[in-house]
Amino acid sequence: MAEETEEIIEGEPDEHEIDAEARERRAVALAHVRKFGDPVLRTRAREIDVFDDALRDEVTRMGELMVDAVGVGLAATQLGVLHRLLVYRVQQDSPVIALVNPEIEWRGDDEEIAEEGCLSLPTVLVDVERPVHVRVRGLDEYGEPVLIEATGLEARVIQHELDHLDGVLILDRTTRDQRREAMRALREAQSPAAA
Ligand code: ZN
């Protein structure tokens, strides 16, 4: 389990690991994801109280988008929908898990630093320290209670996505130096003419 935490959250896949068709699918998926500078990424999402077919369709769509984007997690906020819904899938071929109104009800004392990326922050990779173990309470897409004891990468992904629902980005959770470096990279990527 310890090794898994070295993996990158939502990050860039190795170019050689995906073929041209998968790259194209990824580009299409990424076009739907709100990027740094979009104010929705800094807005706290609202609780969900209606569990209907529209919500379940949204979960399906988010799961597909996340898989196409080669991410391991996605928050509704990243698609510009400001309600408290996230999906994740830590292991390939395992089902996508949806969490509605998730709350961390317990954090272990052990913390670990690992590199994280974010679909909303292209090219950025920063070190983020997070608790290794968390217990998360929430609802599934049918409104049924869910309790998840998560460790390692799963715990990290849930915390990363839950941060999105609160308008928090990995830039807020890294060191000052890494934040400064990331901001510079983001500015350069957004205004190539100025480079
Ligand atoms: Zn993210």
Side-chain angles (χ1 to χ4, degrees), residues 9-10 78 117-120 160-161 164 169-170:
I9 312 300
E10 290 185 9
Q78 291 178 279
C118 180
L119 296 177
S120 296
H160 177 119
E161 304 310 334
H164 276 304
L169 297 170
I170 51 176

Short mmCIF file of all heavy atoms in Angstrom, two decimals, residues 9-10 78 117-120 160-161 164 169-170, ligand 1:
data_model
loop_
_atom_site.label_atom_id
_atom_site.label_comp_id
_atom_site.label_asym_id
_atom_site.label_seq_id
_atom_site.Cartn_x
_atom_site.Cartn_y
_atom_site.Cartn_z
N ILE A 9 -2.00 11.85 -8.26
CA ILE A 9 -3.43 12.06 -8.28
C ILE A 9 -3.81 12.85 -9.52
O ILE A 9 -3.27 13.92 -9.76
CB ILE A 9 -3.90 12.87 -7.05
CG1 ILE A 9 -3.32 12.30 -5.76
CG2 ILE A 9 -5.41 12.95 -6.99
CD1 ILE A 9 -3.67 10.90 -5.45
N GLU A 10 -4.75 12.36 -10.29
CA GLU A 10 -5.28 13.08 -11.45
C GLU A 10 -4.21 13.49 -12.46
O GLU A 10 -4.46 14.27 -13.35
CB GLU A 10 -5.98 14.39 -11.02
CG GLU A 10 -7.27 14.19 -10.28
CD GLU A 10 -7.97 15.50 -10.01
OE1 GLU A 10 -7.55 16.54 -10.54
OE2 GLU A 10 -8.97 15.49 -9.28
N GLN A 78 -15.19 20.55 -10.66
CA GLN A 78 -14.27 20.65 -11.80
C GLN A 78 -14.99 20.69 -13.14
O GLN A 78 -14.40 21.03 -14.15
CB GLN A 78 -13.28 19.47 -11.78
CG GLN A 78 -12.30 19.55 -10.62
CD GLN A 78 -11.37 18.36 -10.60
OE1 GLN A 78 -11.74 17.30 -10.13
NE2 GLN A 78 -10.16 18.52 -11.14
N GLY A 117 -0.98 15.74 -8.75
CA GLY A 117 -1.32 16.58 -9.89
C GLY A 117 -2.82 16.80 -9.85
O GLY A 117 -3.51 16.28 -8.97
N CYS A 118 -3.34 17.59 -10.77
CA CYS A 118 -4.77 17.91 -10.76
C CYS A 118 -5.20 18.19 -12.19
O CYS A 118 -4.52 18.94 -12.90
CB CYS A 118 -5.01 19.12 -9.87
SG CYS A 118 -6.74 19.61 -9.77
N LEU A 119 -6.32 17.61 -12.61
CA LEU A 119 -6.81 17.84 -13.98
C LEU A 119 -7.09 19.32 -14.23
O LEU A 119 -7.07 19.77 -15.37
CB LEU A 119 -8.08 17.02 -14.24
CG LEU A 119 -7.93 15.49 -14.18
CD1 LEU A 119 -9.29 14.82 -14.37
CD2 LEU A 119 -6.93 14.98 -15.21
N SER A 120 -7.33 20.08 -13.16
CA SER A 120 -7.62 21.52 -13.30
C SER A 120 -6.35 22.38 -13.31
O SER A 120 -6.43 23.58 -13.53
CB SER A 120 -8.53 21.98 -12.16
OG SER A 120 -9.79 21.34 -12.25
N HIS A 160 -8.27 14.87 -1.71
CA HIS A 160 -8.02 15.81 -2.81
C HIS A 160 -9.35 16.27 -3.42
O HIS A 160 -9.58 17.47 -3.63
CB HIS A 160 -7.15 15.11 -3.87
CG HIS A 160 -6.87 15.92 -5.10
ND1 HIS A 160 -5.59 16.28 -5.49
CD2 HIS A 160 -7.69 16.42 -6.06
CE1 HIS A 160 -5.66 16.98 -6.61
NE2 HIS A 160 -6.92 17.07 -6.99
N GLU A 161 -10.25 15.31 -3.68
CA GLU A 161 -11.53 15.65 -4.31
C GLU A 161 -12.44 16.43 -3.35
O GLU A 161 -13.16 17.34 -3.75
CB GLU A 161 -12.24 14.40 -4.82
CG GLU A 161 -11.43 13.53 -5.79
CD GLU A 161 -10.80 14.30 -6.94
OE1 GLU A 161 -11.32 15.36 -7.32
OE2 GLU A 161 -9.75 13.85 -7.45
N HIS A 164 -11.69 19.98 -3.41
CA HIS A 164 -12.31 20.69 -4.53
C HIS A 164 -13.71 21.18 -4.15
O HIS A 164 -14.12 22.28 -4.53
CB HIS A 164 -12.44 19.77 -5.76
CG HIS A 164 -11.21 19.71 -6.60
ND1 HIS A 164 -10.61 20.82 -7.15
CD2 HIS A 164 -10.46 18.66 -7.03
CE1 HIS A 164 -9.55 20.45 -7.86
NE2 HIS A 164 -9.43 19.14 -7.80
N LEU A 169 -7.40 24.00 -3.44
CA LEU A 169 -6.56 23.37 -4.46
C LEU A 169 -5.24 22.91 -3.86
O LEU A 169 -4.85 23.38 -2.77
CB LEU A 169 -6.28 24.35 -5.60
CG LEU A 169 -7.51 24.82 -6.39
CD1 LEU A 169 -7.15 25.97 -7.33
CD2 LEU A 169 -8.12 23.66 -7.18
N ILE A 170 -4.55 22.01 -4.56
CA ILE A 170 -3.27 21.51 -4.04
C ILE A 170 -2.25 22.63 -3.85
O ILE A 170 -1.35 22.52 -3.03
CB ILE A 170 -2.67 20.38 -4.94
CG1 ILE A 170 -2.61 20.80 -6.41
CG2 ILE A 170 -3.48 19.10 -4.78
CD1 ILE A 170 -1.94 19.76 -7.32
ZN ZN B 1 -7.90 18.10 -8.57
#
